Every structure is written in structure tokens, then in C-alpha cells.
Amino acid sequence: MKTSELRQKFLQYFEQHQHQVVRSSSLVPHDDPTLLFTNAGMNQFKDVFLGFDKRPYNRATTAQKCVRAGGKHNDLENVGYTARHHTFFEMMGNFSFGDYFKREAIHFAWGFLTGKEWLNLPKEKLLATVYAEDDEAYNIWLNEIGLPAERIVRIGDNKGARYASDNFWQMGDTGPCGPCTEIFYDHGEDIWGGIPGSPEEDGDRWIEIWNNVFMQFNRDEQGNMHPLPKPSVDTGMGLERMAAVMQGVHSNYEIDLFQDLLKAVARETGVPFSMDEPSLKVIADHIRSCSFLIADGVLPGNEGRGYVLRRIIRRAVRHGYKLGQKQAFFYKLVPDLVKAMGDAYPELKEKQTQIMEALRGEETRFGETLEKGMGLFNNVLNGMRFLKLESLLPAEGHGEPLKLRTSDGLEFTAAARSLGGEKQIVIQTQTEGRLNESRTFGLKEVVEQDGVSAEGKPFAAALEAYLKDNISNSKMVIAGEHIFKLYDTYGFPYDLTADMARELGIELDEEGFEREMEAQRARARAAQSFKADTQLAYDGQDTEFKGYTERQTEATVLALYKDGEAVNELAEGESGAVVIDFTPFYAESGGQVGDVGFIFSDGNRFEVRDTQKIKAAVFGQFGVMASGRLKIGDTVTAQVDNDVRDANMRNHSATHLMHKALRDVLGGHVEQKGSLVTADSTRFDISHPQAISAEEIAEVERRVNQAILANVAVAADIMSMEDAQKTGAMMLFGEKYGDEVRVLKMGGFSTELCGGTHVARTGDIGLFKIISEGGIAAGVRRVEAITGLNALKWAQNQERLVKDIIGEVKAQTERDVLAKIQANAAQTKALEKDLAKAKAELAVHAGAKLLDNAKDLGAAKLVVAQIEADAAALREIVTDLSGKSDQAVILLAAVNEGKVSLCAGVSKPLTAKVKAGDLVKFVAEQVGGKGGGRPDLAQAGGTEADKLPQALASVEAWTNEKLA
């Protein structure tokens, strides 16, 4: 049975049992701030289970797309190396909201799994687990289903605390919870593993394929269990696991869906197809999670969900690199995924081009630094191995040198040497009992076998072999500073470096990395932390929102809160929240901030500073008691601040017009990625791969202002979602829609679903002006605009600024300003050029004296000095000096603004022994830098100026050794 057929059969089965088929929710849980990604089928029904939301059905079934790749639920590091770990998976589920309970749930599961017209699994291959104290579920399995007692396993509190069990589900420390019963499938005796609860339970023989969670109790803060008035059911069946069972295979990667993707990966990476290659599996898994996340509005970035996506993409690209594919390939797998899953998830087809563009852009950006980062990783690894070899050898002149022999049988001794900070291995051949002339080897020659002469290769190979023989039992740890550099400079997420290190059996200095990254971590935590659920405990009647037509209403106080706890009254000076039965205050939603104003009665006055939904249909007015006191049951007047509401309405209505204009001007790929509508401005995030040009901004402004001047009526109608879709209305990002929706129409200019407050006619918006545009993430642009009096104020400030500039540059009119500025800039540039030339001439003149004072090394004249010059002047001086002598070895340094500039020059007759590139690198490494160049001329830089004097002092010994 194909995976697609299995998915459809599940939904059909439960639909025949009066379940409403509900479409998968987005991977981005917009209405649950406690979740990074949707990771279970019940996520979209959380508010229903908690009683905060109501649906027109009490039974549901879904095929839910899920991601586990960040935060608490994170399978990333195991993907590709196990049979069943994935970053993306599909969870099939059936749900009861206070309707049926244990008996029906167990019978439904058994009927689908074993029914002849459904999956028809052999009953003897199935086993059930129940919570140890759940006699009800046990008896259903035993007496009604007929499962033998030896295949019903009771699982107790096996996680160290009361109710801490594999078979007891809890939403949190308090709240809904209950026992669960799981169904396991036996993959056969040829696979190691035991039944659940046995010492061998971690094996792969018995695999969980179904979980029924029974939400039976409400756990209070003291740990007491209270029966729920309407117990519910939440079930899950992993689609990939069940497909493996139905297709008679053991690993999820062997099912039809993955086989097609794995072959596509092999095709694009140019390697033979093999089920033994973990990298193929990693990439096949990651193309699913990445594509679905992008389709649901997530784009690669440096924070939150965007950073998780970036990590997954870069992990996939690195595995492609490991397979030998150094060109962009990952995005080319999208059509294969669309072919495999596009029918079940149409958003993949609709967003195929956007997904490919986003993946290609991220892959290209990472590709620019991947090879350099891999080079750094390999250099660090080789350096560690070289240092290990050095530690295995005695220091030169201290103790007996190590005796080794080449593959040809030539004996030699080896010892470690440190010269001017440079690590070396010194060997001496031994013939007829005599030690011959010594030879030195560096890191590249021994560990990388690079640059070694033909005569030296046997010795370097022998040293490398000795290292391999003695390194296997050694602990090797990559320092935190190197991990941080890979992260900060080359874009390698920590877990990507960990992935590479694990493949080589190397550990990471995680504490060191955390120290290096402390400042970034603090910012990242703030950006990625998803605030906890702040819903207040409220069980009263719903709020009736009057704010579409009224700015002031009479109301009764239903509830009061202080410090998050329910109270009977609020006194003067106390902050809190007020719930009233009728409210004109709009609660924050769809990007529009909540209303402000006052709730008052006689001398009692509560200042409303924000309005939020504390339940789906309950509004909370948050603020401070300005005077007097409020009590539950008080009759009050609720009044919105008209000026703030009017400004919010202007900006919100302008946002709709701007959205339409942006799509018309930039293209249909433009989608809203977020918005913030306040009284001051509207901030609008859109998907767009490049900067919006000045001409495009001007055209958007023209279109929006044209719609404003048309002064068309703004009409809002309530209709079913199906009817709304027929109108072509666009849904706004982040908005939660029920079965009935509000369709906002602005003449022929815009039609969108929106629950916000808006102007009566477009002319009420006034002037519209875009004041900024910029990128906030890969493929996401942020546009900020203002309207009405704010736009007028902005225009007046711009006019005042232009007049000030006219006076400052002494222009006659506005038309002369640009010419004046350009003339001043040209004059400044010419003066800077003359100054630089004069400095260079002075530096060359001063440099000539350096050669006169050069140190005579016999075979060379050595010039080492720190002078005052910039990098360009250093190069000119060194070039001039090295050209004046056939014996010059020159190293000049300068410090400017705390940074070290280095330049080395060697007369060409000496470059066979002394190379400028080696010299400048030798010094640069001592001052925290790097560099290189030609044998006769090379430049470098560094950041540790305090180490420069010592570095310069080491040059003479280094040069003497090279000349020897």
C-alpha cells in the first residue's frame, strides 16, 4: 500500500465514523506562543480541549504535518542515522471533544488496523500497553477486543515520579492529563528487541504505531486529580511508521515516498544510490521539512523559526558537500517532493517557485563560505592531530628521541621542536650507527602530506602512521574559539559542527563556545524565546464586541484581575485587567494593536492601556486604576480613545491598499509575512527576494493614494469561509479564522479577510507615504508607511530639512543643492588623494633609511621594523626596498586603530630559501591574523597589536633557519 493511499484510507475510515475531516494546520502555530513549530496533531485543537474555543463538530480527523527540529522536541542530530527519526513527519489523528471516550477510541483503532477492508494487519502481530492503574482500558482490550493477557502490558510510573510514565500524558505540571494506551507492531524475531517494559524495549522489534491519549483528569497545583466533566480523546498514528509496516520494510527510509526522494538526492549529488549512505537520508529528510516550512511562511534568518530553518538547510548542504557536490543542488529536489506530496498538500504546488528561490538563495549564500569553513575545520583538526603527535614525541634535547623506521626500513629518530612559536618535528636518519643531517617537518608536511619533498615523503608517511596508531584512544576536543569562529565567520551552526565532529569521534568544547558567544546568546535567547501562555483563568460569559459600530458602551464588570489572579475589586493605583460583558475596545489581532481608552463610573476611572483576548471570545482590558475603585458587578461606561482609534483605522485600511498595490507592482509572489498596525504607522513585512526600488515605491504610493482619492466605501460582510473564498478574498498572515469570516471590501481596490477596525471610506485615510524599506531576513522585506496627520508632519519635516541643507551648502535654490554637494564631494576626494600621495612619498623616503640599518645575516640583509603608515604605504615601501638589493628580507608593520598591518618582501634571488608569504604568515599568526601572497611580496593583518613586538623579535631566528 502506497503512503498516499494509506493517508487517504485513514481519513476515509474516520469520516465514515462521523468525524469531520479537518485540513492540516500550518507548521507555524500562530495562536500558540508556547510552541516553536506544530509538532503534534492536537496542537490546532489545544484551545478546544482547554475549553477556550468551540467548533461546530465534536469529532475530527486530520493528517497533520509536523516538524521536530528545535527547542524541546528536537530530532535533528539523529536524522539520517536511525530508522525512524525525522525533522518532518505526518501524524494521522482522530479526536473526540467530549464525545466518545476509551471504549470507542480503542474499537476505532483496532477496527482500522485489523479490518479486512482497511489495513487487515495480523492480530497476532499487535500488542497493547495501558497505564498500570487504568483497569478500564485493560478490560476493554481483554474482554471486548479479545487481546490475550500476555499481549496487554501494564506500564507504571517508570520516569521517577507519580504519574511520570510512558503511558500517562500531561499537557503541563497542571491542567488536562490522563492515561494512554499504545499499540505496538512486531517486526519479527530476526530484529533485536523486546516488548515495552522489558530490558530490551529499546530494540527495534516492537514499534509503536498508535497512541490513544485519554484526557480524563484536571490536575491542580497540589497534584490532585479531578475528573473532567467532558473527557476527550487525542490519538496519533505516525504515517511513515505505518507505511513501513504496510510495505513490509523495517526503516521509514525504505517506504515508497522516501525511496523516490533518495533516488532524486543521488541523482543531484552524483553518487550511486545506496541505503547505507546516511547523507542521502539526511538530505531526503531535510528537503521535506525545509520545503514545508517555507510554504508555511518561514524563511531562513538569524532568529527563532528562521534560524532553525537555516540550520536544517545548511546541514543538508554540508552533507551534499560531503558527498562531493560543491554546486547548488538542494533546491533542485523540490519538484520531486511536489510530485510525491503535492496532491495531499496543494501549498507545495502553489509555492513551488518561492520554495526553490528561497532554498537556492540560502544555499548560494552558505556555499560562498562553506568551503572556507570546511578548510578551517580541517585545519583545526589537522592542528590538533599535529599537536597530538608533538605530545607523543620527546622535546629536542630532552631525553631520548623516538626511534622509528620508514616503510623501506630506514631507521630515524624524531623529536619535537618549537621555534619562535612555530611547531616542528625534527628527524635524523640513522645509518651504520651514526646520526646524519637533521630534517624538519611542519604541520602540512606530516598531517596533510602537503608540500613535502620526494626525499622527505617516507619520513612524513612514517610519522603519520605512528600518529594513527597512537591517536585512537586519545580524547580530542575542538576548542570553543574555533567552534565560535565557524559559527560567526562562516555561518556554521553549532550542531552542524557537532555533526562533523561526531563523524570523526571528536568532542566539542561546548562551554568554551558558550563563553565566546555569550553576548550573541543573550540576544538570540531574547529573540527566540516564545512567551508563555498568559491566558487568565476565566469561566464566565463571553464578551460581545460592539466596537465596529460603537465607540462607547454601557457594560457590567464580569471579572477583575491583579497580578494574573482573579480579585473582587481593583483599588486606585493598582494595575490589572477588566472583563466586561459589552465592549467597544478592539482586542489585538491580525497585526492591529489593541484599543486604549477608559472604563469609568462616577469618580471611578480605569485607564485602558491595552486590549487582549484572554479567550477566543473574551476580551480583557489591561491597564491601571487611575482613581477610585472597581468591583465585580459594577455598571460602567467603556469609552475608546477616538484619536488613537481613528489613527489605527487609517493605518489598517492603508495596509490593505498597500498590500494590493505591492502585489500589483512587484508580482503575485508577494505575501504578507507579518504586520504591526499602530496609531503612529503601519509596518508591513512581505516576501520579496530583493530590495524594492525607488521607482517601485513611488508606483505603490501612487496607486494607494489614487485609491484614497477615489473615496470609495469600505464594506464589511460576514459570510462562510467557502463563500469568502469564492469572492477571491485574501487571507492575512497570522489571523485566526472560524467557520464564518469577515470580508472587507474597498471598492475594486482590495478584498481581504480581516477582523480589524477600518475607515468608512478610503478618503478618510488622508495622505499615504512610505518612509522606509529594508530587508529583515532572507527573502523578506519590511515596508513602513504613515498616513493622515502623521504623513503631513513627515512632509513638513522633510521640507524644513531641505531648507536647512540649502542654507548649509550655500545654494541659491533647491535645484542647486545636488550640484553643490557633488562639487564639495569631488573637492574632498581630490584633497584626500593628494594627502595620501604625500604620505606615501614621505614613507618611502623614511623607508630608504631602514635599508641602511639592515641587519647583516651573511646571506641576507634583514629589515624588521614597525613604522607609521597605512597598508598601501607599507606595500610601496617594501616594494621599493626589496628592489634596491639582491639580498633583502623585509618585514614592516604598522598599527592603525588597534589593527596590525604587515607586509613582507624578499629579493627574488633569495625566494628559493625564504618566501615572503611564509614570513608574513609566520608573523601574522602570532598577532591573531592571517595572510599570504607571492614569494617576493606578501601582506597580512592582525588584531592583537600588543603581541607585535614579540612577533617582530622572532623574525631573525626564523630567517636564519630558512637560510641555513
Side-chain angles (χ1 to χ4, degrees):
M1 182 183 293
K2 286 185 173 295
T3 308
S4 57
E5 183 183 354
L6 175 60
R7 184 192 298 115
Q8 195 58 35
K9 267 186 175 290
F10 184 96
L11 298 175
Q12 288 174 349
Y13 174 81
F14 283 100
E15 188 174 29
Q16 289 184 17
H17 288 86
Q18 292 76 52
H19 288 66
Q20 174 69 43
V21 178
V22 180
R23 185 178 177 181
S24 171
S25 65
S26 168
L27 286 170
V28 179
H30 300 301
D31 303 303
D32 188 348
T34 66
L35 276 180
L36 186 64
F37 296 116
T38 298
N39 57 28
M42 65 83 64
N43 290 160
Q44 68 167 309
F45 302 116
K46 180 180 175 182
D47 283 354
V48 183
F49 284 123
L50 293 173
F52 298 145
D53 192 12
K54 299 174 184 177
R55 300 288 175 94
Y57 46 82
N58 52 22
R59 296 182 177 191
T61 183
T62 64
Q64 177 64 51
K65 50 193 179 183
C66 302
V67 162
R68 288 185 182 173
K72 177 182 176 183
H73 302 286
N74 186 357
D75 289 340
L76 185 59
E77 67 177 22
N78 295 315
V79 172
Y81 299 96
T82 67
R84 276 168 288 280
H85 278 100
H86 303 292
T87 55
F88 175 91
F89 61 95
E90 294 179 78
M91 184 59 71
M92 312 303 295
N94 60 287
F95 308 90
S96 165
F97 312 122
D99 184 33
Y100 61 81
F101 201 43
K102 294 182 184 179
R103 173 170 286 104
E104 296 89 340
I106 292 173
H107 277 277
F108 281 148
W110 192 254
F112 179 70
L113 292 174
T114 64
K116 290 183 179 180
E117 69 274 37
W118 300 106
L119 300 193
N120 196 26
L121 291 178
K123 296 178 182 179
E124 64 273 13
K125 300 277 280 183
L126 301 176
L127 172 152
T129 63
V130 297
Y131 184 56
E133 301 172 24
D134 190 0
D135 294 334
E136 182 183 0
Y138 182 91
N139 289 328
I140 293 171
W141 281 114
L142 181 69
N143 301 322
E144 299 183 26
I145 299 299
L147 204 61
E150 64 268 19
R151 285 196 281 122
I152 310 173
V153 181
R154 291 180 183 264
I155 302 293
D157 298 332
N158 57 358
K159 294 185 176 180
R162 182 68 170 135
Y163 300 117
S165 168
D166 288 327
N167 279 68
F168 198 92
W169 175 88
Q170 302 177 71
M171 186 173 286
D173 293 334
T174 61
C177 59
C180 58
T181 180
E182 299 176 331
I183 304 173
F184 286 75
Y185 179 82
D186 182 4
H187 272 285
E189 294 180 355
D190 57 326
I191 296 176
W192 180 83
I195 64 172
S198 72
E200 298 82 23
E201 67 176 354
D202 291 333
D204 278 350
R205 176 176 175 180
W206 291 91
I207 299 299
E208 177 198 339
I209 57 173
W210 197 295
N211 186 15
N212 281 303
V213 174
F214 305 126
M215 297 186 192
Q216 190 169 358
F217 304 104
N218 183 49
R219 187 178 190 179
D220 64 23
E221 292 180 353
Q222 286 72 44
N224 300 314
M225 296 292 184
H226 305 281
L228 289 170
K230 291 185 177 181
S232 299
V233 175
D234 159 29
T235 77
M237 182 196 85
L239 181 65
E240 294 84 359
R241 288 189 177 199
M242 186 58 75
V245 170
M246 297 306 296
Q247 295 174 24
V249 296
H250 178 60
S251 167
N252 290 358
Y253 291 98
E254 296 178 82
I255 67 175
D256 61 314
L257 189 155
F258 267 112
Q259 286 292 291
D260 293 339
L261 290 177
L262 286 165
K263 290 172 183 175
V265 176
R267 179 194 71 221
E268 294 301 336
T269 55
V271 300
F273 172 78
S274 170
M275 288 300 294
D276 296 326
E277 178 48 72
S279 291
L280 292 180
K281 298 174 186 176
V282 169
I283 298 167
D285 171 271
H286 288 7
I287 191 61
R288 299 209 306 165
S289 55
C290 294
S291 296
F292 274 98
L293 283 171
I294 294 169
D296 280 349
V298 181
L299 288 170
N302 290 325
E303 300 174 352
R305 298 180 177 106
Y307 185 60
V308 176
L309 173 60
R310 171 163 286 169
R311 286 164 51 199
I312 302 173
I313 295 173
R314 295 190 172 189
R315 188 170 188 261
V317 173
R318 203 280 297 184
H319 275 275
Y321 185 93
K322 183 182 175 185
L323 294 174
Q325 178 53 275
K326 298 185 179 181
Q327 304 300 317
F329 75 95
F330 193 47
Y331 76 98
K332 297 178 182 178
L333 300 172
V334 175
D336 297 280
L337 177 64
V338 171
K339 182 179 179 181
M341 302 185 71
D343 290 338
Y345 297 98
E347 61 267 33
L348 286 178
K349 289 183 179 179
E350 296 167 6
K351 307 287 182 63
Q352 178 174 336
T353 300
Q354 292 167 247
I355 295 169
M356 293 181 71
E357 287 179 354
L359 289 177
R360 180 167 56 183
E362 179 66 13
E363 190 173 5
T364 300
R365 277 185 291 273
F366 186 46
E368 293 170 355
T369 60
L370 175 60
E371 189 155 1
K372 292 179 181 177
M374 291 298 297
L376 173 62
F377 180 85
N378 290 329
N379 287 341
V380 170
L381 175 62
N382 289 335
M384 291 166 57
R385 298 176 74 232
F386 188 80
L387 290 174
K388 180 61 183 177
L389 176 60
E390 182 194 31
S391 71
L392 294 170
L393 300 177
E396 184 182 27
H398 295 80
E400 287 293 320
L402 183 70
K403 293 183 179 181
L404 298 172
R405 68 174 64 225
T406 67
S407 59
D408 296 332
L410 179 62
E411 293 184 348
F412 67 96
T413 62
R417 173 195 289 176
S418 179
L419 180 64
E422 184 178 5
K423 306 289 185 178
Q424 296 177 334
I425 305 297
V426 182
I427 71 161
Q428 283 186 294
T429 56
Q430 191 169 11
T431 55
E432 298 179 358
R434 295 198 315 272
L435 289 176
N436 298 319
E437 184 180 351
S438 65
R439 181 190 299 269
T440 61
F441 290 93
L443 182 150
K444 285 184 174 292
E445 294 168 307
V446 176
V447 177
E448 301 177 37
Q449 301 286 297
D450 180 39
V452 61
S453 66
E455 296 83 3
K457 280 185 178 180
F459 305 106
L463 288 167
E464 170 68 3
Y466 175 75
L467 174 62
K468 287 181 179 179
D469 290 340
N470 288 275
I471 206 171
S472 57
N473 296 323
S474 300
K475 180 179 178 181
M476 295 179 64
V477 182
I478 299 180
E481 62 185 281
H482 298 310
I483 307 168
F484 176 76
K485 189 171 184 179
L486 282 166
Y487 168 84
D488 190 52
T489 305
Y490 300 108
F492 280 44
Y494 178 88
D495 48 12
L496 190 153
T497 304
D499 203 32
M500 296 189 295
R502 182 177 55 188
E503 293 170 1
L504 298 168
I506 300 172
E507 297 181 16
L508 299 185
D509 174 17
E510 186 172 0
E511 289 186 7
F513 172 72
E514 297 291 356
R515 287 194 300 271
E516 292 282 347
M517 205 183 156
E518 187 172 354
Q520 283 94 329
R521 284 178 62 242
R523 289 194 294 271
R525 271 199 307 271
Q528 295 182 36
S529 61
F530 290 78
K531 62 181 180 181
D533 194 341
T534 56
Q535 292 172 324
L536 301 174
Y538 178 81
D539 297 316
Q541 72 184 71
D542 291 346
T543 302
E544 185 174 339
F545 177 57
K546 298 283 191 178
Y548 289 136
T549 57
E550 300 177 26
R551 303 283 183 95
Q552 179 174 308
T553 61
E554 302 303 311
T556 300
V557 177
L558 300 178
L560 295 168
Y561 296 89
K562 177 185 174 183
D563 298 327
E565 299 294 331
V567 295
N568 291 320
E569 68 175 26
L570 282 176
E572 184 172 330
E574 292 181 339
S575 297
V578 181
V579 179
I580 52 181
D581 53 357
F582 301 101
T583 182
F585 292 97
Y586 178 80
E588 181 174 333
S589 183
Q592 181 179 334
V593 297
D595 275 333
V596 299
F598 291 93
I599 296 174
F600 57 89
S601 174
D602 298 327
N604 307 305
R605 195 172 182 85
F606 181 83
E607 182 184 351
V608 179
R609 296 179 176 177
D610 191 15
T611 306
Q612 298 283 336
K613 291 182 181 180
I614 61 174
K615 281 190 175 182
V618 181
F619 291 16
Q621 283 73 208
F622 293 78
V624 63
M625 202 70 209
S627 61
R629 62 183 60 239
L630 276 184
K631 298 180 180 179
I632 293 176
D634 283 355
T635 299
V636 295
T637 299
Q639 185 179 66
V640 170
D641 185 312
N642 283 317
D643 290 340
V644 175
R645 166 69 81 82
D646 287 341
N648 287 341
M649 289 165 55
R650 284 193 293 268
N651 286 331
H652 200 161
S653 296
T655 302
H656 284 241
L657 295 175
M658 177 168 62
H659 189 185
K660 179 64 164 59
L662 285 165
R663 285 176 61 86
D664 289 344
V665 174
L666 303 180
H669 65 278
V670 168
E671 288 187 355
Q672 183 178 347
K673 294 300 178 187
S675 70
L676 178 63
V677 176
T678 69
D680 296 325
S681 65
T682 174
R683 196 182 73 194
F684 198 65
D685 300 339
I686 62 168
S687 56
H688 189 59
Q690 67 223 18
I692 305 174
S693 69
E695 293 77 13
E696 289 168 333
I697 289 175
E699 179 59 20
V700 170
E701 290 176 334
R702 187 192 69 78
R703 288 172 181 253
V704 174
N705 281 295
Q706 185 180 46
I708 292 170
L709 290 172
N711 199 28
V712 297
V714 177
D717 296 303
I718 305 296
M719 61 183 73
S720 69
M721 176 61 80
E722 183 179 354
D723 289 339
Q725 290 171 339
K726 290 177 182 177
T727 68
M730 184 174 296
M731 296 177 65
L732 289 184
F733 177 86
E735 188 70 82
K736 181 177 181 179
Y737 302 108
D739 295 302
E740 286 194 331
V741 294
R742 186 167 181 259
V743 179
L744 193 81
K745 187 175 179 63
M746 299 182 180
F749 295 104
S750 172
T751 304
E752 297 190 14
L753 304 190
C754 184
T757 60
H758 290 273
V759 297
R761 305 187 73 87
T762 58
D764 298 340
I765 296 172
L767 176 63
F768 168 86
K769 185 75 181 74
I770 294 175
I771 58 172
S772 70
E773 184 277 338
I776 59 169
V780 180
R781 310 298 298 182
R782 172 166 290 172
V783 182
E784 187 171 2
I786 51 178
T787 64
L789 293 176
N790 286 335
L792 174 63
K793 183 179 179 180
W794 180 88
Q796 290 171 335
N797 287 338
Q798 292 296 109
E799 182 181 27
R800 189 177 302 111
L801 177 62
V802 170
K803 288 181 178 178
D804 289 344
I805 293 172
I806 290 172
E808 190 66 29
V809 300
K810 296 180 173 56
Q812 297 299 316
T813 66
E814 293 179 14
R815 297 177 182 177
D816 300 331
V817 171
L818 183 58
K820 279 281 187 180
I821 292 174
Q822 290 172 336
N824 288 344
Q827 184 179 10
T828 301
K829 187 175 181 179
L831 290 172
E832 289 174 346
K833 185 177 180 180
D834 290 343
L835 180 60
K837 183 179 179 181
K839 284 183 176 180
E841 290 174 351
L842 287 171
V844 169
H845 179 71
K849 296 181 180 179
L850 295 173
L851 196 58
D852 295 337
N853 299 320
K855 179 113 182 210
D856 191 349
L857 301 181
K861 303 288 187 182
L862 178 64
V863 175
V864 181
Q866 178 180 342
I867 65 173
E868 291 187 10
D870 58 22
L874 281 182
R875 185 183 181 93
E876 286 193 32
I877 297 168
V878 171
T879 301
D880 179 68
L881 293 181
S882 58
K884 291 180 176 178
S885 171
D886 291 336
Q887 293 182 297
V889 175
I890 304 161
L891 190 288
L892 297 185
V895 178
N896 295 293
E897 298 180 355
K899 294 181 180 180
V900 178
S901 296
L902 301 168
C903 188
V906 178
S907 299
K908 290 188 177 180
L910 290 179
T911 55
K913 291 186 175 182
V914 183
K915 293 179 172 54
D918 293 343
L919 173 56
V920 83
K921 181 181 178 183
F922 168 70
V923 177
E925 288 175 347
Q926 296 180 61
V927 294
K930 57 183 179 179
R934 305 195 312 262
D936 62 322
L937 183 67
Q939 287 185 277
T943 57
E944 300 172 10
D946 57 314
K947 296 180 180 179
L948 182 59
Q950 183 179 351
L952 296 180
S954 69
V955 171
E956 182 176 344
W958 183 92
T959 307
N960 276 324
E961 182 187 350
K962 296 297 179 181
L963 291 172

